[in-house]
Amino acid sequence: MSADPVAVAPPGSTGRAAPGRSAGPPPPSRTRWLILAVLCLAQLVVVLDNTVLTVAVPVLTAELHASTADVQWMINAYALVLSGLLLTAGSAVDRYGRRRMLLAGLVLFGLGSLAAGLARTAEQLIAARAGMGVGGALLVTATLAVAMQVFSGAERSRAIGIWAATSALGFAAGPPIGGAVLAHLPWGAIFLMNIPIVLVCLVAGRALVPESRGPAGGRLDLGGVVLSVTGLTAIVWSIIAGPERGWASTEVLGAAAAGLLLLWLFVRWEQRVPDSMLDMHFFRNRRFVGAVSGVVLITFGATGALFLLTQQLQFVRGYPAWEAGLRMAPFALSIVLLNVSGAATVAIRRLGLPAAIAVGMGLLAAGLALVTHGPSDGYGVLLAGLLVMGTGCALANPAIVEAVMSAIPAEKAGAGAGVDGTMTEVGSSLGIAVLGAVLNARFTALLPAALAGAGSFPAALAAAGPDREAVTVAYADALATGQTVGAVAVLAGGLVAAGLLHRAERSGSPAAVPAHAGTD
């Protein structure tokens, strides 16, 4: 398949370009930033729905008569479907039009939100959440791919930074928003509040976003779709289920082995099929491999450690979920401020991508260490740690996304967004699962002998009687161990990613490898 220049067409056009015709001019400056606002708003609702449900678990358990397994599926169905479809969504975005798939994703996400808000049984809510995951996969890939087409040069770096900052804002804003909604409205409003946002994005997206697509290419790669979706879903499911079912259980090991086999078959298939959904030649580019490895390593440590921090705020410091999210808001707001102001972009340009990733992850690790081992009285130390962490993420997150996207040609922006999103989901799931396992192992080891069989902190606390203080101290120590491991993983991941990218730059790997023209 030839690497014809990507075409950019006015809103409402078909988006098809004659072979070899150069891309049209980008939208005017004011319109570009309005487009970015639409893209970030769409991305925000996708991330919010990963965290907003946490505060609704008690209500859902009572009103829908949901079991523990039901509640877990309500939360995990969305993430499982989204992560399994990201590669396919990225291919569809390039093939069928980035604006078209953005609008389709909004429609699917809106319909899923409506179904979730009106659900009356646990099964209905699980199915609706899975439907939202389909729309979410299209939105994650389409929003980043459209930004790559609309912006260029220094503006593109700033736009990527703002897009990445939106995800951090959604992570922190989910619990307080969910708590505020539940304080005044029924639980269904958590999902129904997505509807007006989706409608605004649909109208604005149709009016503002130009259509663009990669060079036309043959039939849909159905074999690649089936193999990638089933393989990724099996891998992510095994990671999610590991802590609960046991890492050595037949189901978890079987799902992991099947997933790895399917992904190996996917790679072999993509190397042979004429119209592949993911060009395997990209993996011969050291810059691309370094960037993708960095995404997994960094999100592994960062997401896992932040997950444990929310547990610390709730179970050790005693804040409800919405208040814990509110106290973490400075972390997200500092990321947004540094990226919207352009300060992060200037720093990344002066440092270069490898150094920006190393410095950013170093700051994030230092902030995590401060929050974990600093005095816990009052809010001052926590606030300082969150601001240091936010500064680190403001540097590292846009840098690693830019490293991935700059290693792929513009006409494959959707595929690049799919790879970035997939590696983010895998790294995040691994981080939560592995650091959660470290937490549980350490907590079990520190518990009094009489409570050794307790499966969780709430269960141990309920059975503790006069030993409640000992249980709380044991859990706090276990959290500190897990967070320390997370901080070390963050630092190591940042240094490894920076080292791989630095080596790629020294070896002369190109910033973007043309399709089917990889460099060894």
Side-chain angles (χ1 to χ4, degrees), residues 112-464:
S113 298
L114 179 62
L118 299 178
R120 291 296 173 263
T121 67
E123 293 75 16
Q124 290 174 357
L125 181 55
I126 292 168
R129 291 276 290 169
M132 292 171 68
V134 178
L138 285 171
L139 291 178
V140 168
T141 50
T143 51
L144 182 53
V146 169
M148 292 293 294
Q149 304 302 314
V150 172
F151 293 91
S152 61
E155 279 192 342
R156 177 181 289 176
S157 300
R158 187 176 176 189
I160 288 175
I162 295 172
W163 180 89
T166 301
S167 297
L169 180 62
F171 175 85
I177 288 177
V181 171
L182 287 175
H184 302 93
L185 298 169
W187 65 264
I190 288 178
F191 302 106
L192 295 178
M193 69 180 183
N194 292 335
I195 305 299
I197 299 174
V198 165
L199 292 175
V200 168
C201 290
L202 272 172
V203 173
R206 185 171 178 81
L208 295 172
V209 176
E211 182 60 288
S212 65
R213 69 181 72 212
R219 296 173 298 177
L220 177 65
D221 180 12
L222 289 176
V225 169
V226 172
L227 290 170
S228 67
V229 170
T230 53
L232 285 169
T233 301
I235 291 291
V236 175
W237 182 88
S238 67
I239 294 171
I240 292 174
E244 177 198 357
R245 297 172 181 255
W247 292 103
S249 66
T250 303
E251 309 100 290
V252 171
L253 290 177
L260 290 172
L261 175 61
L262 288 165
L263 290 182
W264 178 79
L265 292 173
F266 169 71
V267 171
R268 300 292 293 175
W269 174 269
E270 295 299 286
Q271 289 173 334
R272 287 167 170 75
V273 70
D275 303 305
S276 59
M277 62 180 286
L278 180 62
D279 191 346
M280 289 297 141
H281 286 79
F282 294 147
F283 291 92
R284 296 184 183 179
N285 183 335
R286 291 182 179 178
R287 182 185 179 92
F288 179 75
V289 172
V292 168
S293 302
V295 171
V296 177
L297 293 168
I298 290 170
T299 54
F300 169 86
T303 306
L306 288 171
F307 170 74
L308 295 186
L309 177 57
T310 63
Q311 305 303 301
Q312 182 195 49
L313 294 178
Q314 292 178 64
F315 292 125
V316 176
R317 300 199 182 194
Y319 302 125
W322 68 269
E323 190 175 346
L326 192 62
R327 288 177 179 268
M328 286 186 66
F331 164 72
L333 293 176
S334 61
I335 299 174
V336 174
L337 179 62
L338 289 171
N339 279 287
V340 171
S341 67
T345 302
V346 172
I348 291 170
R349 286 299 169 207
R350 289 182 177 177
L351 291 170
L353 294 182
I357 292 169
V359 171
M361 288 298 96
L363 288 172
L364 178 55
L368 283 168
L370 177 60
V371 169
T372 302
H373 299 288
S376 59
D377 297 335
Y379 186 55
V381 173
L382 176 60
L383 176 61
L386 290 172
L387 291 176
V388 172
M389 291 162 57
T391 303
C393 282
L395 285 175
N397 285 0
I400 198 67
V401 174
E402 185 175 348
V404 173
M405 299 304 291
S406 64
I408 285 184
E411 66 267 19
K412 294 288 186 178
V419 171
D420 177 74
T422 300
M423 295 301 101
T424 297
E425 289 295 327
V426 170
S428 298
S429 300
L430 272 173
I432 292 172
V434 173
L435 295 188
V438 171
L439 163 68
N440 291 333
R442 181 63 175 160
F443 179 53
T444 301
L446 293 174
L447 274 177
L451 301 173
S456 66
F457 174 67
L461 204 60

Side-chain angles (χ1 to χ4, degrees), residues 467-481:
D467 291 330
R468 290 174 66 89
E469 182 65 23
V471 171
T472 301
V473 170
Y475 194 72
D477 287 347
L479 276 169
T481 300

